[in-house]
């Protein structure tokens, strides 16, 4: 594929400025909400682990379960989807810059962990506490929000700093875009 056709197909995928702004706002709001909700989950987990009151433990884990079921997963999917649209619809690309690539995989991993580890674990914890059993392990209850919070803070930092430069694919695309197009290659591509 010639540089000209690569450039034209890449520009066809770009979001318009208004669309990019809307998706960026959605992404930032969803991401910030996901981060804030995770801080709230950590506060509830600490409360459940530190209190001696069975009523407070049950209320805390039930609130965690409610937030995880109704807010956390939808925000995770919205963050993932809006980030994917931004990466594919802007100059950043999904696999062109290392920071974008790392953010994508971390977002995918934390979304999967939310769906397949945190939510089922909270369900088991709520069932145990509601049956009158003590809190199984306060450390386990706090681990999910701690790991998630660490990942989200890291992703926020790399979103701001944009470290590490281009991936191999990004370097290849950049060099291909800057290569002069000779007349013979342009005729062959047409």
């Amino acid at each position: 594929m010639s540089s000209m056709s690569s450039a034209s197909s890449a520009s066809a995928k770009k979001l318009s400025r208004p669309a990019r702004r809307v998706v960026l706002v959605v992404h930032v709001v969803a991401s910030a909400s996901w981060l804030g909700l995770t801080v709230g989950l950590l506060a509830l987990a600490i409360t459940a682990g530190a209190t001696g009151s069975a009523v407070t433990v049950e209320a805390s884990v039930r609130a965690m379960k409610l937030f995880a079921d109704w807010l956390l997963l939808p925000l995770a999917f919205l963050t993932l989807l809006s980030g994917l649209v931004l990466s594919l619809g802007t100059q950043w690309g999904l696999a062109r810059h290392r920071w974008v690539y790392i953010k994508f995989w971390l977002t995918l991993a934390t979304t999967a962990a939310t769906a397949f580890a945190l939510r089922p674990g909270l369900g088991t914890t709520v069932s145990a506490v509601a049956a009158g059993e003590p809190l199984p392990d306060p450390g386990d209850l706090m681990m999910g929000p701690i790991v998630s919070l660490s990942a989200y803070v890291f992703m926020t930092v790399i979103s701001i700093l944009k470290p590490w430069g281009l991936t191999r694919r990004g370097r290849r695309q950049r060099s291909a875009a800057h290569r002069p197009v000779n007349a013979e290659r342009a005729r062959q591509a047409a």
Side-chain angles (χ1 to χ4, degrees):
M1 184 181 278
S2 75
S3 298
M4 288 176 59
S5 62
S6 295
S8 65
S9 66
S11 64
K13 296 178 188 176
K14 299 286 186 218
L15 293 170
S16 68
R17 183 180 171 130
R20 182 186 55 80
R21 286 181 167 186
V22 167
V23 176
L24 181 61
V25 167
V26 168
H27 183 68
V28 170
V29 169
S31 301
S33 298
W34 196 11
L35 181 101
L37 189 55
T38 301
V39 171
L41 290 174
L42 182 58
L44 287 167
I46 290 169
T47 300
T51 188
S53 166
V55 172
T56 303
V57 169
E58 186 173 355
S60 296
V61 296
R62 282 187 183 278
M64 289 179 74
K65 176 84 170 112
L66 179 73
F67 290 151
D69 285 348
W70 291 98
L71 295 174
L72 202 58
L73 209 49
L75 286 171
F77 283 123
L78 185 58
T79 300
L80 183 63
L81 179 65
S82 61
L84 194 57
V85 169
L86 278 173
S87 68
L88 296 174
T90 65
Q91 79 277 5
W92 296 110
L94 182 60
R96 206 174 295 150
H97 295 268
R98 284 188 183 99
W99 71 272
V100 176
Y101 195 66
I102 289 169
K103 270 188 67 177
F104 170 74
W105 287 107
L106 277 174
T107 302
L108 191 61
T110 52
T111 300
T114 297
F116 301 115
L118 179 68
R119 289 181 64 237
L122 285 172
T124 302
T125 301
V126 167
S127 296
V129 170
E133 298 174 22
L135 187 63
D137 185 359
D140 280 352
L141 193 61
M142 287 182 248
M143 193 53 60
I146 288 170
V147 169
S148 296
L149 185 59
S150 300
Y152 307 149
V153 168
F154 175 73
M155 287 187 276
T156 301
V157 169
I158 67 174
S159 293
I160 294 166
L161 300 180
K162 297 172 181 43
W164 308 309
L166 296 170
T167 61
R168 264 185 272 189
R169 179 179 181 192
R171 286 191 301 270
R172 278 194 313 267
Q173 287 176 340
R174 182 173 281 171
S175 68
H178 293 315
R179 238 183 263 142
V181 177
N182 68 31
E184 182 62 31
R185 279 195 1 224
R187 275 194 301 271
Q188 289 173 353

